[in-house]
Amino acid sequence: MSNNKTHSFINMLVEENLVQAQNILKEQLNEKLTKILNEKFESFAPTIFEELDPVGKEDEDVNNDGEVDSTDDYLKNRREAIGKAIEGEDDDEAEDEEQSEEEEEGGSEEEEDEEDDQDSEEADEDSEEKKD
């Protein structure tokens, strides 16, 4: 805080004019924050607005930091691994869909076997009752 603002702030506190003291404090904090954020923005702005490679014309500098290094290799490998994992998930999902379609259409073989067993048991019981 500037010397004049500091005195005003202290006077407001002494006089128990807390609302005005709070306003002075907020004003000073906002000024300092604005200054700091502007400085940070100026230092990072050039990296934020870097131009990306056109689609289909990518170069070896994957992260576009201006140099080809180990981070570019890491990013390439990571993207390949993610791509393979996604392809693997798509294959698994297709298999799951095929299995669920088969179950919906005719049920599973186990269910059919259980139904056949129940039918044969009922037939055996019916034939025993007829004998009696």
Side-chain angles (χ1 to χ4, degrees), residues 89-107:
E89 286 178 8
D90 289 343
D91 293 342
D92 292 342
E93 288 175 6
E95 289 175 10
D96 291 343
E97 286 177 13
E98 288 175 13
Q99 289 176 353
S100 64
E101 286 175 5
E102 289 174 3
E103 290 174 2
E104 287 175 6
E105 289 175 3

Side-chain angles (χ1 to χ4, degrees), residues 8-84:
S8 296
F9 178 72
I10 293 171
N11 287 335
M12 295 298 163
L13 289 175
V14 170
E15 294 172 7
E16 295 186 13
N17 194 346
L18 300 179
V19 174
Q20 286 183 342
Q22 185 180 21
N23 289 337
I24 292 171
L25 185 61
K26 283 181 183 179
E27 181 183 306
Q28 291 299 307
L29 286 172
N30 283 333
E31 285 178 16
K32 287 190 182 235
L33 271 173
T34 302
K35 180 181 175 188
I36 291 169
L37 288 174
N38 284 334
E39 289 172 1
K40 292 291 182 184
F41 178 77
E42 289 171 6
S43 66
F44 287 111
T47 60
I48 294 172
F49 299 109
E50 286 180 353
E51 295 223 8
L52 300 177
D53 298 328
V55 175
K57 297 182 180 181
E58 294 86 5
D59 57 9
E60 295 295 314
D61 184 18
V62 176
N63 61 0
N64 291 322
D65 65 351
E67 52 190 51
V68 178
D69 53 14
S70 62
T71 57
D72 297 309
D73 292 334
Y74 169 79
L75 289 172
K76 281 183 196 175
N77 292 334
R78 181 179 168 94
R79 290 178 183 176
E80 287 176 17
I82 290 171
K84 288 178 184 177

